[in-house]
Amino acid sequence: MGELPTDSAGPPRVAGPGSSNDGARSLRGERRAEPESSKRRLRDAIVDAARAQAIAAGWDRVRMGGVAQAAGVSRQTVYNEFGSKDGLAEALARREVDRFVGEVRAALAAHGPEVRAAAYAAIRHTLAAAADNPLVKAILTSARGGSDELLPYLTTRSELVLAESSAALLEWAAQHLPDGDPAALAFAADTVVRLVVSHIVLPRTPVDETADHLSHLALHLFHTAATRPAG
């Protein structure tokens, strides 16, 4: 008498942390993630199509309608995602640059505080990867023929190349050269990046030789920055 009825599943459950409210929040989070994932796949497909057409015919001949057709979407979808051909060019260049910068970080990290070895590995990898990259080849070939709208996005656009590549060098320097003069370190990183880019655009010597010379210069610049009192 007076006891609460029970069922075979056990005693009544009390709502608390990790129960239905948390489950609802988790479900809402999953639903938000799904559209974001779909949007990323859509953008990647469009950029992939643009990359393939730039390699095949040069960026000047890439058309938004052709990219849309190759990606299996409408022309309006491409405009909605990127705004213009310039916006698409920037997205394409940023993805290439992000990959290069990620590889630079890995090369630097593999050699830790050994300045010349780290610089040589990063510079050599970048030069060799650029020489083998079909998009970079297509851009430089078109540029030497007189015109290519995409070249600035992979060379002189500071927010895409100079700033991000310099940031990778400065992150490495902050870890291994913590007492250096920040202004001198920033100058060293910027100078090395600019020189590497110039040798990608107008190579004059074999990759190994160029990397050897540039890594000697990088050693001098970073050593000077590391031994100069801050301020």
Side-chain angles (χ1 to χ4, degrees), residues 6-154:
T6 61
D7 58 30
S8 60
R13 288 180 290 179
V14 178
S19 64
S20 59
N21 288 340
D22 287 338
R25 283 194 293 270
S26 176
L27 182 58
R28 287 196 296 270
E30 290 175 4
R31 286 173 178 169
R32 283 196 299 270
E34 287 176 4
E36 290 172 3
S37 177
S38 297
K39 185 178 180 66
R40 171 52 56 191
R41 287 195 297 270
L42 171 64
R43 289 177 67 87
D44 284 345
I46 294 171
V47 172
D48 286 342
R51 187 180 192 273
Q53 293 195 7
I55 291 170
W59 184 253
D60 292 354
R61 296 184 180 180
V62 171
R63 298 291 179 267
M64 300 290 266
V67 171
Q69 184 176 7
V73 299
S74 70
R75 187 168 178 268
Q76 187 59 49
T77 296
V78 178
Y79 278 102
N80 288 345
E81 290 296 323
F82 300 98
S84 65
K85 188 179 177 184
D86 284 345
L88 181 57
E90 185 166 349
L92 172 57
R94 181 171 292 279
R95 192 171 69 175
E96 296 295 313
V97 170
D98 284 348
R99 181 164 62 244
F100 275 108
V101 171
E103 292 167 353
V104 165
R105 284 194 171 94
L108 291 170
H111 293 277
E114 300 174 13
V115 177
R116 186 177 181 280
Y120 179 84
I123 292 168
R124 189 194 180 286
H125 176 80
T126 300
L127 293 172
D132 291 336
N133 186 297
L135 179 62
V136 174
K137 286 181 180 179
I139 293 169
L140 296 180
T141 299
S142 296
R144 288 164 190 155
S147 173
D148 198 297
E149 300 167 355
L150 193 56
L151 182 62
Y153 289 93
L154 291 175

Side-chain angles (χ1 to χ4, degrees), residues 182-214:
L185 288 171
F187 177 80
D190 182 76
T191 299
V192 170
V193 171
R194 288 176 186 272
L195 287 171
V196 171
V197 169
S198 72
H199 281 277
I200 290 173
V201 176
L202 291 172
R204 291 188 175 277
T205 57
V207 165
D208 288 342
E209 184 178 341
T210 302
D212 186 57
H213 290 314
L214 291 182

